[in-house]
Amino acid sequence: MKITLSMQNGITAHALARMCRGVLENEKNANLNIYSICTDSREVDGNTAFFALVGERVNGHDYIPNAVAAGCRCVVSQEPLLPGVVGEDVAVILVKDSEMALSYMASARLEKETFPRVAVTGSVGKTTTKDMIAAVMREEKKTYVSTGNHNSVIGMPLSVMEIPENCECAVLEMGMSNFGEIERMSLVAEPDIAVITNIGSSHMETLGDRRGIFRAKLEI
């Protein structure tokens, strides 16, 4: 997954480290400008910060050498890198948790924003409802709507980083597969209006039953 930052001049490695609550290892690269953020090493370029995420099947840290070989100049990692893995011209930001760093980053992006935010969740109909709300809001305000189904604890924070600086309203989608995920996204977005489309039967393997799904959705 890759997004282009809304900031016209991008952000520096130093600013990204602060937003992620991380530590920039080499201050020589503090002023390196970053214009996009990526979680897939196959999509990086010289303007990209690569977030190495630990998944159920794949550990993104294994692909840091590939990302650097493809021209990536900034890496966000929760694991210390061995000497020689990256060159001195690559900014390395060490964080406690790469996935949580995305949430911290998005929260920092919205910290001083006052425009209204609408968050949409539900077992089905999230994307359609989100797009319908955005269509109405666009009649009166410059409205950002998250693209596709970027609605996870990874995708939603990345969507926040796409919000234009002249935004007057944002409509964000929130999906989940377990308890705590909607809460984490809500703490980032701090929505003024919350919409729950319905309560279905998805993810019962982790949520138990429809009451569990109901409880998880109400985290919004």
Side-chain angles (χ1 to χ4, degrees):
M1 190 180 300
K2 181 178 181 179
I3 60 97
T4 300
L5 297 173
S6 61
M7 303 79 157
Q8 185 176 1
N9 298 319
I11 56 176
T12 64
H14 175 79
L16 181 61
R18 178 180 51 79
M19 293 171 75
C20 292
R21 303 183 188 179
V23 176
L24 181 63
E25 283 215 306
N26 189 344
E27 284 294 331
K28 185 182 86 171
N29 299 310
N31 293 321
L32 173 70
N33 274 353
I34 296 157
Y35 296 91
S36 59
I37 290 172
C38 183
T39 59
D40 187 334
S41 63
R42 296 168 295 185
E43 297 180 321
V44 301
D45 57 34
N47 297 319
T48 303
F50 172 59
F51 277 68
L53 303 179
V54 179
E56 293 182 5
R57 299 178 182 176
V58 177
N59 186 341
H61 296 79
D62 296 336
Y63 296 90
I64 290 177
N66 294 15
V68 173
C72 180
R73 298 275 315 282
C74 182
V75 172
V76 179
S77 171
Q78 68 185 52
E79 298 178 5
L81 303 187
L82 295 174
V85 171
V86 301
E88 291 185 0
D89 62 337
V90 176
V92 177
I93 299 172
L94 282 180
V95 295
K96 290 184 178 180
D97 185 313
S98 298
E99 188 177 288
M100 279 301 301
L102 288 170
S103 293
Y104 294 145
M105 173 185 66
S107 183
R109 163 69 183 88
L110 292 175
E111 189 175 24
K112 296 180 181 179
E113 300 289 2
T114 58
F115 56 77
R117 301 159 206 168
V118 182
V120 182
T121 192
S123 295
V124 296
K126 293 185 291 295
T127 302
T128 301
T129 303
K130 172 201 68 179
D131 291 342
M132 291 172 66
I133 293 170
V136 173
M137 297 303 296
R138 283 196 180 108
E139 293 295 312
E140 296 287 340
K141 296 179 180 292
K142 294 176 181 176
T143 301
Y144 170 83
V145 57
S146 54
T147 56
N149 61 345
H150 289 182
N151 61 15
S152 67
V153 290
I154 296 171
M156 198 223 72
L158 287 175
S159 291
V160 166
M161 300 304 292
E162 289 183 313
I163 297 176
E165 294 178 291
N166 64 347
C167 181
E168 296 177 334
C169 178
V171 187
L172 301 166
E173 182 177 333
M174 297 181 183
M176 58 89 201
S177 59
N178 213 333
F179 294 111
E181 294 179 353
I182 295 288
E183 179 181 13
R184 190 201 300 186
M185 286 184 276
S186 296
L187 288 171
V188 169
E190 296 186 340
D192 301 280
I193 299 172
V195 178
I196 301 177
T197 60
N198 65 1
I199 304 298
S201 55
S202 302
H203 309 300
M204 283 195 180
E205 69 278 8
T206 54
L207 300 172
D209 53 24
R210 292 188 74 184
R211 287 187 178 182
I213 297 168
F214 175 63
R215 206 151 42 89
K217 293 297 185 185
L218 280 184
E219 290 173 3
I220 202 168

